[in-house]
């Protein structure tokens, strides 16, 4: 493991309870995410994976515990969470593109409004990013004119247009037709190779094994086991993880 000064997100005893504590979506989660890591979060449905991921930029507000991003406690009421979210790119299951805007406008609206980047610079960067995912020719198209895989690739590069420190992926391929999954995972693999810090919730075990630097297995709102992909997939220690892998591999 790297030194502590490489920690970009630190999560301590994170809890998220509903119905007065009857439902524990997160139950004391503690982990660190370091610069350049690709942390892949796996587990059964309802295990708390997405709640954990969405807590990292306060889309879910935890009941208790702390999340520190680059040394700043983001759970503190004094934190400007909107400013902080500019440094965390988020990609959802359902692309969340603005349907009434062209792809170019979808990609440039946030950098221009939030970062104060000029239209010319924002458009130049957008075209560069679109080129990286093979969609430069779709800059003036509307989301309705694209396939699901193309929309998700756009959603990824739209997040990258803000130059985030971290990319968060919430099951980015689960809404796609099986033949489109590969094109999205390929973009994520390229990002990982380029050294982007990533936290990915996914059901794609091949991706977890090939691209992850660390795999976290969650169940019942807790981290049950975390280790290298090699150890998780070939030498799982926890019985619950062993059962899960038998079902999904």
């Amino acid at each position: 493991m790297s030194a502590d000064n490489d920690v970009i997100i630190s999560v301590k005893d994170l809890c998220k309870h509903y119905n007065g504590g009857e439902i524990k979506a997160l139950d004391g989660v503690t982990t660190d995410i370091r610069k350049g890591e690709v942390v892949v979060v796996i587990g059964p449905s309802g295990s708390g994976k997405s709640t954990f991921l969405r807590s990292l930029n306060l889309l879910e507000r935890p009941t208790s515990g702390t999340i520190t991003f680059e040394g700043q406690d983001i759970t503190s009421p004094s934190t400007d969470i909107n400013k902080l979210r500019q440094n965390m790119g988020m990609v959802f299951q359902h692309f969340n593109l603005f349907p009434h805007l062209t792809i170019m406008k979808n990609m440039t609206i946030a950098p221009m409004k939030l970062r104060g980047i000029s239209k010319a610079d924002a458009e130049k960067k957008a075209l560069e990013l679109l080129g990286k995912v093979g969609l430069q020719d779709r800059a003036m198209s509307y989301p309705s004119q694209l396939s699901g895989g193309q929309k998700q690739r756009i959603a990824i590069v739209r997040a990258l247009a803000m130059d985030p420190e971290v990319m968060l992926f919430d099951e980015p391929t689960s809404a796609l037709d099986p033949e489109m999954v590969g094109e999205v995972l390929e973009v994520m693999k390229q990002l990982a190779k380029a050294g982007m810090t990533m936290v990915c919730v996914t059901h794609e075990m091949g991706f977890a094994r090939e691209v992850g630097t660390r795999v976290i297995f969650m169940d019942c709102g807790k981290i049950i086991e975390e280790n290298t992909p090699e150890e998780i997939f070939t030498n799982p220690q926890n019985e619950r993880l062993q059962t899960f892998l038998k079902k999904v591999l």
Side-chain angles (χ1 to χ4, degrees), residues 121-177:
D121 285 347
E123 288 184 349
K124 183 180 173 208
K125 171 123 191 197
L127 283 172
E128 278 171 21
L129 288 166
L130 286 170
K132 285 183 179 173
V133 295
L135 291 171
Q136 203 168 29
D137 60 331
R138 306 315 295 268
M140 301 322 290
S141 301
Y142 286 86
S144 61
Q145 297 169 307
L146 304 179
S147 72
Q150 288 172 328
K151 284 181 202 169
Q152 196 59 297
R153 283 187 277 158
I154 298 290
I156 292 171
V157 290
R158 178 181 64 172
L160 290 174
M162 288 292 286
D163 282 326
E165 299 285 324
V166 179
M167 286 285 285
L168 308 176
F169 294 89
D170 190 7
E171 299 189 27
T173 58
S174 63
L176 298 177
D177 292 336

Side-chain angles (χ1 to χ4, degrees), residues 41-239:
V41 187
I42 64 171
S45 293
S47 59
K49 308 182 299 290
S50 285
T51 305
F52 166 65
L53 188 84
R54 291 165 64 86
S55 297
L56 296 181
N57 63 1
L58 289 202
L59 288 176
E60 293 279 356
R61 285 207 167 253
T63 306
S64 61
T66 59
I67 304 160
T68 308
F69 175 62
E70 295 191 318
Q72 187 175 3
D73 178 3
I74 71 169
T75 49
S76 161
S78 62
T79 298
D80 182 349
I81 190 60
N82 289 325
K83 191 160 187 359
L84 189 132
R85 280 186 189 132
Q86 293 175 26
N87 294 315
M88 284 190 185
M90 180 99 186
V91 179
F92 301 88
Q93 290 179 34
H94 301 286
F95 331 114
N96 290 12
L97 299 173
F98 296 115
H100 62 293
L101 298 180
T102 62
I103 297 311
M104 177 59 80
K105 287 213 169 126
N106 262 285
M107 289 193 61
T108 55
I109 187 168
M112 286 165 63
K113 280 196 165 180
L114 300 174
R115 293 255 195 239
I117 291 167
S118 72
K119 185 171 185 242
D121 285 347
E123 288 184 349
K124 183 180 173 208
K125 171 123 191 197
L127 283 172
E128 278 171 21
L129 288 166
L130 286 170
K132 285 183 179 173
V133 295
L135 291 171
Q136 203 168 29
D137 60 331
R138 306 315 295 268
M140 301 322 290
S141 301
Y142 286 86
S144 61
Q145 297 169 307
L146 304 179
S147 72
Q150 288 172 328
K151 284 181 202 169
Q152 196 59 297
R153 283 187 277 158
I154 298 290
I156 292 171
V157 290
R158 178 181 64 172
L160 290 174
M162 288 292 286
D163 282 326
E165 299 285 324
V166 179
M167 286 285 285
L168 308 176
F169 294 89
D170 190 7
E171 299 189 27
T173 58
S174 63
L176 298 177
D177 292 336
E179 58 203 26
M180 292 175 185
V181 168
E183 64 191 58
V184 173
L185 291 180
E186 192 51 45
V187 174
M188 293 170 69
K189 285 178 195 173
Q190 295 307 322
L191 266 184
K193 277 186 195 160
M196 173 61 76
T197 308
M198 296 159 66
V199 186
C200 316
V201 169
T202 186
H203 294 293
E204 300 291 335
M205 296 300 137
F207 175 82
R209 201 166 191 161
E210 183 188 341
V211 183
T213 53
R214 180 158 49 106
V215 176
I216 290 176
F217 172 69
M218 290 186 71
D219 194 29
C220 300
K222 295 176 185 287
I223 292 178
I224 305 296
E225 194 168 328
E226 60 179 313
N227 213 322
T228 62
E230 176 72 15
E231 285 296 313
I232 288 281
F233 289 107
T234 61
N235 188 29
Q237 300 298 302
N238 183 276
E239 195 177 325

